[in-house]
C-alpha cells in the first residue's frame, strides 16, 4: 500500500516539475493562469497523499504494538547485548526484534550467536523460510549509520 502511495507522490512531483518547466516559457497570461492552477492542484494532491501515508504508517505501527518504534544505528544496536540489564535485541532485514524473553535465546545467545548484532545472514542460512520472526516482538528498525 505504502509503495503505491509513494509512487503516486513521485509521479505527482515529476508532473509538477514539467508544469514548472512549461511555466518558465509560457507568454500567454491565460495559459499561465491555467498552469498555475494545475500546480496548485498537484500540491494539494501531494499533501493529501502525504497525510494518507502518515495515517497508514501510524496504523501499521499501532498494529505491530509499536506505539514508539525505535530507529537504532548498528552501533547503537551493539549496546543491546542482553547483559548488564540491557534488553537483548537482534536485527534481521533491518527490523529489530527483542529476544530478551525468547527461551531459544536464553542468556542472550543462540547457537554461537550473540544479541546486539545484525543476524540476517545467519537467520537466512539457519531458518530461511521459517515463520519464526512473526513470533518475536518488534522494537523498530535499523537506521543506516
Ligand atoms: C547459527 C544459526 C542458527 C542455528 C543453527 C539455529 C538453530 C535453531 C534450533 C535448532 C532451534 C530449535 C531449538 C530451540 O528451540 O532451541 C532454533 C530455534 C529458534 N531460532 Fe534459531 N538458529 C540459528 C539462527 C537463528 C537466528 C539468526 C535467529 C534470529 C531471529 C534465530 C531465531 C530462533 C528462534 C526465535 C527460535 C525459537 C523458535 C520457536 O520458538 O519456535 N535462530 N534455532
Amino acid at each position: 500500500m505504502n509503495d503505491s502511495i509513494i509512487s503516486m507522490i513521485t509521479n505527482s512531483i515529476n508532473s509538477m516539475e514539467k508544469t514548472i518547466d512549461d511555466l518558465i516559457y509560457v507568454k500567454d497570461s491565460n495559459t499561465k493562469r491555467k498552469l498555475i492552477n494545475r500546480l496548485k492542484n498537484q500540491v494539494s494532491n501531494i499533501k493529501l497523499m502525504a497525510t494518507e501515508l502518515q495515517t497508514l504508517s501510524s496504523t501499521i505501527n499501532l498494529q505491530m504494538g509499536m506505539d514508539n518504534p525505535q530507529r537504532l544505528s548498528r552501533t547503537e544496536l551493539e549496546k543491546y547485548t542482553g547483559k548488564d540489564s540491557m534488553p537483548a535485541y537482534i536485527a534481521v532485514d533491518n527490523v529489530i526484534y527483542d529476544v530478551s524473553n525468547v527461551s531459544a535465546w536464553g542468556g542472550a545467545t543462540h547457537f554461537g550467536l550473540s544479541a546486539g548484532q545484525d543476524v540476517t545472514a545467519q537467520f537466512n542460512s539457519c531458518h530461511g523460510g521459517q515463520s519464526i520472526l512473526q513470533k518475536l516482538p518488534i522494537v523498530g528498525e535499523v537506521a543506516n549509520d
Side-chain angles (χ1 to χ4, degrees):
M1 182 62 174
N2 282 13
D3 291 347
S4 63
I5 295 180
I6 291 168
S7 62
M8 277 164 29
I9 291 177
T10 314
N11 293 345
S12 294
I13 291 170
N14 292 343
S15 41
M16 275 177 74
E17 281 173 340
K18 181 157 178 342
T19 311
I20 292 166
D21 288 346
D22 294 347
L23 259 173
I24 294 169
Y25 298 104
V26 77
K27 299 264 179 298
D28 166 47
S29 58
N30 199 19
T31 319
K32 191 177 270 185
R33 201 175 319 107
K34 278 195 191 134
L35 287 173
I36 289 170
N37 284 339
R38 189 195 301 168
L39 211 49
K40 281 185 183 165
N41 289 339
Q42 288 163 337
V43 169
S44 44
N45 282 347
I46 289 179
K47 276 191 190 161
L48 276 177
M49 289 185 271
T51 316
E52 173 85 9
L53 205 53
Q54 181 62 46
T55 319
L56 262 173
S57 64
S58 16
T59 313
I60 291 167
N61 285 344
L62 277 175
Q63 280 164 351
M64 295 166 88
M66 295 192 313
D67 32 352
N68 184 18
Q70 295 186 56
R71 282 175 61 77
L72 299 174
S73 69
R74 285 169 207 290
T75 321
E76 288 163 331
L77 177 64
E78 282 167 14
K79 293 187 215 130
Y80 294 84
T81 57
K83 310 248 181 310
D84 311 323
S85 64
M86 284 295 281
Y89 293 171
I90 51 156
V92 177
D93 291 330
N94 289 328
V95 178
I96 300 172
Y97 299 92
D98 185 349
V99 290
S100 308
N101 305 312
V102 176
S103 57
W105 276 83
T109 63
H110 182 69
F111 294 88
L113 301 172
S114 304
Q117 306 297 320
D118 183 321
V119 289
T120 305
Q122 295 89 339
F123 182 81
N124 290 334
S125 61
C126 299
H127 290 294
Q130 293 178 21
S131 60
I132 286 179
L133 295 176
Q134 286 154 14
K135 297 183 191 169
L136 304 179
I138 292 177
V139 173
E141 61 184 357
V142 176
N144 290 314
D145 284 349

